Amino acid sequence: MSPVAWVLALPVRAYRLVLSPWVGMHCRFQPTCSAYALEALETHGAVRGTLLVLRRIGRCHPGGGDGYDPVPPPRR
């Protein structure tokens, strides 16, 4: 993971540690949005990973779907 992606992952890790136990397991997608964010940042780096995370969070609404939604493989 690049240093910038590592810094961007800190708020996600903090959320998982502090807020997630209080919010509960109500994610519509599998893997959860926080797990998706960490994997996207690790796989795709800071810029593309952030864009993928924002797109995923944008789909998290009543009409946005649900189910299995893995991080896409890296481009070659």
Side-chain angles (χ1 to χ4, degrees):
M1 187 180 293
S2 72
V4 176
W6 187 84
V7 169
L8 290 172
L10 286 176
V12 177
R13 289 189 180 105
Y15 164 79
R16 292 181 88 177
L17 183 67
V18 177
L19 294 177
S20 184
W22 292 92
V23 174
M25 297 295 293
H26 301 293
C27 192
R28 307 169 65 85
F29 294 103
Q30 190 66 319
T32 63
C33 291
S34 59
Y36 184 94
L38 292 175
E39 186 178 348
L41 289 169
E42 183 176 330
T43 304
H44 295 285
V47 176
R48 180 153 165 75
T50 300
L51 293 174
L52 288 169
V53 170
L54 292 174
R55 188 182 84 187
R56 169 73 174 268
I57 291 172
R59 289 193 312 249
C60 194
H61 55 83
D66 59 359
Y68 183 62
D69 182 28
V71 174
R75 294 181 185 172
R76 296 279 171 181

